[in-house]
Amino acid sequence: MSDAAAAATPPAETPVISDLSRMGRVLFSPGAVFGELQHRPTIWGPWIIVSVISMIISWFQRPFQQRVGQIISERAGRPAPPDTMVRAIIGLVLTPVGVLVLVLISALILWALASAMGGDTSFKKMMSVVFFSFPPILIQQAITVAVLMNRGVASITGPADMFVSLGADLALPADAQVGYFTRFFLAGIGPLQIWALVIIAVGVMVMGKTSKASAWTAAIIHFLIILCVLSGLGAFGASMMAGPSR
């Protein structure tokens, strides 16, 4: 093989290792990462990486989740459900499924928005964009676990104590009376969430072949839709666990 032919041949990659490297680089060079993925978007490697990290984070959250379950059971006047290894394993096994469902829904919204704005893309490419926007969210979850472990299980007196925010809700006065939805919505507007938004905007521009304005418009609309849905689910769950919103 000639030197020219060798130079034209792309280096061999180990899929998961390459994707893990991209997961780190996308935080600071999203354009370069999505440029690499433009002609060969990857899904399964990122899914494995995000799922494994999510399972690790969930494992460390278990003692705090169990404490919340005990409190809810006590308030309802019924015995707390037994904590068994089978329940723990089922929870871990379901984590990758939950990640995949969330990505499928998110990518569908993003693909529809990018296509409506004249983009030339595919559902698989938008799935890849969504997967590679996860690092800032995983950092947020890791910070939550670190704060909870620093406080200790004894500090958990209710579901609200599981909530660690770095978002706009911190600007509210301490005595502000806001509903669960508003608090969750404001909490979702923080530096790490904005970081993920930037990654998605760059991904849509590169992978979706849209203009910068169209990419940002699609990314912002997608961000607001997902934030409203998650805030609504969070508010519903909080209401069920801790009584009606104020």
Side-chain angles (χ1 to χ4, degrees):
M1 180 181 293
S2 66
D3 292 342
T9 303
E13 293 185 349
T14 303
V16 175
I17 300 301
S18 298
D19 290 330
L20 184 60
S21 171
R22 292 187 181 110
M23 282 280 181
R25 292 190 292 117
V26 78
L27 290 166
F28 307 102
S29 302
V33 169
F34 289 123
E36 295 173 8
L37 297 170
Q38 171 63 30
H39 300 293
R40 189 180 294 178
T42 177
I43 293 174
W44 301 116
W47 176 57
I48 292 171
I49 293 166
V50 171
S51 296
V52 169
I53 295 175
S54 297
M55 285 191 290
I56 293 171
I57 291 173
S58 295
W59 180 264
F60 283 104
Q61 282 183 324
R62 280 188 68 241
F64 304 96
Q65 293 169 343
Q66 291 165 13
R67 176 58 184 155
V68 170
Q70 291 172 357
I71 293 171
I72 294 172
S73 296
E74 291 171 1
R75 291 177 180 176
R78 61 175 185 266
D83 177 35
T84 64
M85 186 56 64
V86 173
R87 287 170 59 92
I89 293 174
I90 291 175
L92 290 178
V93 169
L94 290 177
T95 297
V97 177
V99 169
L100 185 58
V101 170
L102 178 61
V103 170
L104 287 171
I105 295 172
S106 185
L108 180 61
I109 296 170
L110 201 58
W111 172 73
L113 290 169
S115 298
M117 295 183 183
D120 179 15
T121 187
S122 67
F123 181 68
K124 183 177 181 180
K125 287 183 178 181
M126 292 300 99
M127 281 188 68
S128 190
V129 169
V130 174
F131 271 123
F132 280 94
S133 71
F134 261 85
I137 307 306
L138 294 174
I139 292 173
Q140 169 74 55
Q141 293 175 354
I143 290 173
T144 297
V145 170
V147 171
L148 291 176
M149 293 181 70
N150 183 63
R151 293 174 180 172
V153 177
S155 68
I156 303 296
T157 60
D161 294 327
M162 290 284 292
F163 190 60
V164 178
S165 173
L166 300 175
D169 62 313
L170 297 178
L172 293 172
D175 59 349
Q177 301 292 312
V178 297
Y180 290 122
F181 179 87
T182 302
R183 188 169 293 278
F184 278 115
F185 187 89
L186 292 175
I189 306 175
L192 290 168
Q193 289 88 349
I194 298 301
W195 200 350
L197 170 62
V198 172
I199 292 173
I200 286 181
V202 174
V204 172
M205 185 169 60
V206 176
M207 302 278 278
K209 296 181 180 180
T210 66
S211 67
K212 186 175 183 179
S214 295
W216 272 99
T217 300
I220 291 172
I221 294 174
H222 169 268
F223 174 79
L224 292 175
I225 291 173
I226 297 298
L227 181 56
C228 285
V229 171
L230 294 179
S231 298
L233 292 174
F236 177 76
S239 297
M240 292 298 99
M241 291 188 294
S245 177
R246 288 184 296 270

